[in-house]
Amino acid sequence: MTTRGQRPDATGAFTGLSAFPLTPLRDDTVDEAAFVGLVERLVAAGPDSITALGSTGSYAYLGREERARVARLAVEQADGVPVFVGVGDLRTSHVLAHVDNAEAAGAAGILLAPMTYQPLTDSDVFELFRTVTEYTELPVIVYDNPGTTHFTFTTDLYARIAELPGIASIKIPGVPTDPVAARARVAGIRAAVGEHVTIGVSGDAVAAAGLNADCDAWYSVIGGTLPSPALTITRAAQEGRGADATAESDRLAPLWDLFAAFGGSLRVVAAIAEHLGLAPRECLPLPVRGLGDPQRAAIAGVVDELGLA
Amino acid sequence: MTTRGQRPDATGAFTGLSAFPLTPLRDDTVDEAAFVGLVERLVAAGPDSITALGSTGSYAYLGREERARVARLAVEQADGVPVFVGVGDLRTSHVLAHVDNAEAAGAAGILLAPMTYQPLTDSDVFELFRTVTEYTELPVIVYDNPGTTHFTFTTDLYARIAELPGIASIKIPGVPTDPVAARARVAGIRAAVGEHVTIGVSGDAVAAAGLNADCDAWYSVIGGTLPSPALTITRAAQEGRGADATAESDRLAPLWDLFAAFGGSLRVVAAIAEHLGLAPRECLPLPVRGLGDPQRAAIAGVVDELGLA
């Protein structure tokens, strides 16, 4: 991970650890106390930014007013830590309404995934980003998350979108586990998008690999609930101690194994938050149900074994 | 296509041609006059039912009030033709709100697709259908549309859901083109779900194949904009003239080819409606953009060549 020049109107906020808190629900209503508690916990740990209403924050499931309220709470509680706000929606005009609310909340940037119901073309997605970047002065993180959006970005489309004004960062879905291949992948994206756009890795299991392969940021699921180990990995990579980043990631392998075994990171992180008393039981929006008791027991065992409590 | 016993509280409405009208937008607002015009056109043609707010009707993109208004308009204009209303949404509580509005509108049934952002498990989807069928007395059509929902039903899950009270029909994504394979597929589903649930084919290009393979209904995109040829196919199959159904479907092959070439049925049908003056230009919800002029010219040529205007 190399220190790089930022776009003039950016602040370096689009580097380092961006922590993605859950938006816990209780009886189908946002549990504001639990959300505030999660954000306070993050602020105390010291991430470089907080991304509210990412996929981990269930943005796609929440209504406009709920999202506006969560954005405001996040900024209010962030104590100066930059807050990015997810604004994705299926319809462009609804995205713009969320942008209005993110601006009103005092967001430092917005995260935009091309959600799909009908499959979208590259032109559709480019025009979506063009419309949003023309609409707002807020910096935009391009959110490439094919596991949820079912839209696949090409590097060429990254490059076209990166030329739009206000594009600050690209959240890529991951990197190859092989270090040489990872470095080549990140270098290829950087050559395409230019130095003014940061590249952030997601997919927590490959975060250390991504940071060691010259990604500028980690958009982190686990960082939103367990910020300490995420910061250990991030700071090690930032300080050139790549082996230490890898060692901490390797130590967390039982956690990554749970993500793989139990259908992805979201339900596991929700179970961890519930186990630690940070969120009420069944905090995800239905129809997304929480894990069963045997899985929860396995998760609690790993949390204890790794000293994450 | 065989006449079958219906569930006691159903009416046979879940058989034959269900026509799916577009919900045209103009300047990002539902064009009510255009929608009413489409429904009036359908009623004049005489389908067995109308499904408002299907995928073709852009339900996933519309707000709650828009959907309530469209449902009311559809029932008001349907002149007694049963109207089914799409109630899918990402969050279960939002689905239930749409169910309330469908009931208030006077819908004869609801169409429920398991929309996803986070991938759903079979248990999640079963519980969604259980919750909805416990909530409403309206008959429910299980909407299996993996191209938009990215959820894949198994036949076993069909069977489990079919045991819930109120499940009236299953809208399957298609059948194999080979007649023997198609018949085996439909027979397999019917054996699993029982005689009280009708099976409706979708995927217009294989509709004749589905009806000839003993599907009870055709949930039809093209039927919502060009009801005449859809009725020709449906009535032929219903009357045991399978070869006539196949011949009409074969005659429409240039239309099916456009669906395949231009990214699916929705944008093609929107372009047809726009070409025929039934919808304003760019009637789909952004970011879903209309087709370009060369594609529109090709579509107009096929519409003219096939005498569909």
Side-chain angles (χ1 to χ4, degrees), chain A residues 28 55 59 93 117 124 267, chain B residues 28 55 59 93 117 124 267:
Chain A
D28 201 52
S55 292
Y59 76 94
S93 58
Y117 181 75
D124 293 335
R267 295 185 212 228
Chain B
D28 200 54
S55 292
Y59 76 95
S93 59
Y117 181 74
D124 293 334
R267 295 184 212 230

Side-chain angles (χ1 to χ4, degrees), chain B residues 244-265:
Chain B
D244 292 350
T246 301
E248 178 67 358
S249 181
D250 289 349
R251 189 180 77 83
L252 299 176
L255 193 55
W256 314 144
D257 291 345
L258 294 173
F259 288 6
F262 296 159
S265 57

Side-chain angles (χ1 to χ4, degrees), chain A residues 208 212 232-233 236 241-253 256:
Chain A
N212 285 339
T232 299
I233 291 171
R241 295 180 287 108
D244 292 350
T246 301
E248 178 68 358
S249 181
D250 288 349
R251 189 180 78 83
L252 299 176
W256 314 145

Side-chain angles (χ1 to χ4, degrees), chain A residues 43-274:
Chain A
V43 170
D48 299 288
S49 63
I50 293 169
T51 301
L53 297 167
S55 292
T56 306
S58 294
Y59 76 94
Y61 298 87
L62 303 179
R64 193 175 301 177
E65 289 309 312
E66 289 173 317
R67 291 170 66 166
R69 175 73 178 149
V70 168
R72 286 197 302 275
L73 285 172
V75 174
E76 283 169 17
Q77 301 299 323
D79 197 26
V81 176
V83 172
F84 310 139
V85 173
V87 297
D89 210 321
L90 288 170
R91 182 162 158 195
T92 301
S93 58
H94 295 181
V95 172
L96 299 182
H98 300 312
V99 171
D100 287 342
N101 289 330
E103 288 180 350
I110 54 177
L111 178 73
L112 176 57
M115 284 178 67
T116 66
Y117 181 75
Q118 297 290 340
L120 295 179
T121 68
D122 283 11
S123 291
D124 293 335
V125 171
F126 178 80
E127 289 297 322
L128 170 66
F129 279 91
R130 193 183 61 73
T131 300
V132 170
T133 54
E134 284 183 358
Y135 185 78
T136 183
E137 299 287 313
L138 285 176
V140 175
I141 305 166
V142 178
Y143 190 177
D144 180 2
N145 192 358
T148 56
T149 66
H150 303 283
F151 179 80
T152 301
F153 282 89
T154 62
T155 303
D156 180 61
L157 183 58
Y158 282 164
R160 290 178 59 211
I161 291 173
E163 291 177 3
L164 293 167
I167 300 294
S169 187
I170 300 179
K171 176 181 181 297
I172 65 173
V175 295
T177 48
D178 173 68
V180 174
R183 193 165 282 273
R185 172 72 183 132
V186 176
I189 296 171
R190 198 177 304 283
V193 303
E195 297 284 327
H196 68 291
V197 173
T198 72
I199 300 170
V201 66
S202 58
D204 287 356
V206 295
L211 293 169
N212 285 339
D214 203 30
C215 283
D216 306 285
W218 174 15
Y219 294 109
S220 176
V221 174
I222 203 72
T225 298
L226 299 172
S228 288
L231 281 162
T232 299
I233 291 171
T234 307
R235 298 299 175 235
Q238 286 178 310
E239 293 163 9
R241 295 180 287 108
D244 292 350
T246 301
E248 178 68 358
S249 181
D250 288 349
R251 189 180 78 83
L252 299 176
L255 193 55
W256 314 145
D257 291 345
L258 293 173
F259 288 7
F262 296 159
S265 56
L266 179 67
R267 295 185 212 228
V268 173
V269 167
I272 291 172
E274 294 171 21

Side-chain angles (χ1 to χ4, degrees), chain B residues 195-262:
Chain B
E195 296 285 327
H196 67 293
V197 173
T198 71
I199 301 170
V201 66
S202 59
D204 286 357
V206 295
L211 292 169
N212 285 339
D214 203 30
C215 283
D216 307 284
W218 174 15
Y219 295 109
S220 176
V221 174
I222 202 71
T225 298
L226 300 172
S228 287
L231 281 163
T232 298
I233 290 171
T234 306
R235 298 300 175 235
Q238 286 178 310
E239 293 163 10
R241 295 181 287 108
D244 292 350
T246 301
E248 178 67 358
S249 181
D250 289 349
R251 189 180 77 83
L252 299 176
L255 193 55
W256 314 144
D257 291 345
L258 294 173
F259 288 6
F262 296 159

